[in-house]
Amino acid sequence: MPAAPADSALYRDLFGDAETAALFTDSAEVRAMLIVEGALARVQGDLGIIPAEAAAFLHRASLEVQIDPAALAAETARNGVPVPALVAAFRKGAEAPEMTRWLHWGATSQDIMDTALALRLKRLVALWDVRLGALAAALGQMAADHAETPMAARTYGQAAVPTSFGALVAGWGRPVMRHRARLAALAPDLLRVSLSGAAGTSAALGPQAAAVRAGLAQALGLADPGASWHAERDGIGAFAAWMAGLTATLGKMGQDLILLSQTGIAEVAMAGAGGSSTMPQKQNPVGPSVLVALARQSAALAEVVQGAGVHGLQRDGAAWFAEWLTLPQLVHSTGRALVLAADLAARVRPDPAAMARGLAEGQGTLMAEALTFALAGQLPRPEAAARVAALCREALASATPLADLAARDFPGTDWAARLAGPGALGDAPAEARAFAAAALSSAAGG
């Protein structure tokens, strides 16, 4: 297996996301850096900092020049950054020394690399925003369809009280909507240019440094930070934390699907579930398992990115390298989790009959809370709780439904009907419908 499974020809369909991965190839990085170099030259030409003829040439050449990333490898290993080799290859390929001497004027490698990263992240944020909206809408429709499909809620793995499948789905979807809002909120601190020269002072950029930075931001459709952020990695760190949070949310969805599809419960099924090489009866929850694994991996990767925020002074190579080693894989995993969650949302099939069996298991003792509060109208609450606890023990020992024992001891009420009647699901249906309305309205642009 390759070090990065998402890049593997064998495992990429399991762990990879082609659209996300396309933004983090060597070619994508080189192309983004060339775009930054060209835009920088054009802005400097407009401001009269470099000759207008050279600026026009460099901008045009940045869009046309072809540079093989592999040809930059040796110099990148020596210098620790690819920009010096990129600039040299640009100059060589352009074959116009009088023009290319103005290339990379006043910038430093980190300016070019961080701005190129922001350019690619801009496309990524747009892609993921669409995916988040579509996922929320798919979960919203499922929640609406099953707002009143009753099932057993489980705490500590044990049947607790009735809920609805729609309410469970709403619990998957509400955080997705919040993550979408958080992504929009953190984007301005993430999608910004970097242009402040060797050590953040902008000295080599001259007296028009602020104007150049503002012009570059406008040219690239990024924000102008107003200062150097070479060693200020809080925007990247917040993005990493956001990815860890999102994958945890999607991992919870995966974990629930694993539990609900297991033998003995089987309250949901997933079309196209995985098979076994030796056990043909099995329908393995592969997709949900990948979601859980990605959530666990993303939490660890995000921790490394957070640690990489500890930069020494104006630039710290070790911290920067740790970010490079980690951020692309974290992005790959998050992209894959989004794709997989949307795929699962389309394939999950709840089984109401199995859910009904789950509600009836344990001789109906799942209704113990409801019975306690019903009896509290005629008995002191502690006494009602004690009487119901005794009835639950008897129901389990004698295999007699709890409702029958309640009718014996508290006659005059159809306890089976009352306990399963209106209100048995509490606010679960309303919560499911409220989420569905919000998700579907957001998807429609409301």
Side-chain angles (χ1 to χ4, degrees), residues 51-80:
E53 183 182 5
F57 174 87
L58 292 172
H59 181 254
R60 182 174 63 253
S62 71
L63 302 176
E64 298 173 350
V65 68
Q66 300 296 316
I67 295 177
D68 179 9
L72 311 180
E75 286 297 309
T76 298
R78 183 177 300 110
N79 298 320

Side-chain angles (χ1 to χ4, degrees), residues 47 49 195-196 201-216 224:
L47 293 171
I49 296 171
L195 187 65
S196 54
T201 65
S202 301
L205 288 162
Q208 297 189 79
V212 176
R213 186 183 60 241
L216 183 63
D224 177 2

Side-chain angles (χ1 to χ4, degrees), residues 6 9-10 20 57 101 103-104 115 150 159 190 334 364 383 386 414 421 428 437:
L10 182 59
T20 294
F57 174 87
R101 70 189 184 96
L103 179 67
H104 195 64
T115 304
L190 183 68
T334 304
E383 183 180 346
D414 184 348

Side-chain angles (χ1 to χ4, degrees), residues 310-412:
V310 183
H311 269 245
L313 302 177
Q314 281 68 46
R315 183 176 298 121
D316 186 331
W320 206 18
F321 296 161
E323 185 181 295
W324 299 358
L325 286 167
T326 313
L327 185 65
Q329 184 58 61
L330 179 54
V331 167
H332 279 195
S333 294
T334 304
R336 177 55 179 161
L338 273 169
V339 169
L340 193 51
D343 176 65
L344 286 169
R347 294 194 289 112
V348 169
R349 300 290 182 268
D351 185 339
M355 291 176 176
R357 290 193 294 272
L359 288 165
E361 284 184 359
Q363 303 303 324
T365 53
L366 177 138
M367 306 304 296
E369 180 190 64
L371 178 58
T372 298
F373 281 93
L375 292 177
Q378 53 187 285
L379 298 172
R381 166 76 187 283
E383 183 180 346
R387 293 287 298 273
V388 172
L391 289 178
C392 286
R393 291 191 293 271
E394 183 181 352
L396 294 172
S398 65
T400 305
L402 177 63
D404 292 352
L405 296 177
R408 179 198 67 191
D409 289 1
F410 303 96

Side-chain angles (χ1 to χ4, degrees), residues 185-238:
L186 68 82
D189 287 335
L190 183 68
L191 309 180
R192 52 188 180 168
V193 298
S194 175
L195 187 65
S196 54
T201 65
S202 301
L205 288 162
Q208 297 189 79
V212 176
R213 186 183 60 241
L216 183 63
Q218 183 176 14
L220 297 175
L222 298 172
D224 177 2
S228 173
W229 59 277
H230 288 166
E232 299 170 7
R233 313 309 287 181
D234 54 296
I236 299 292

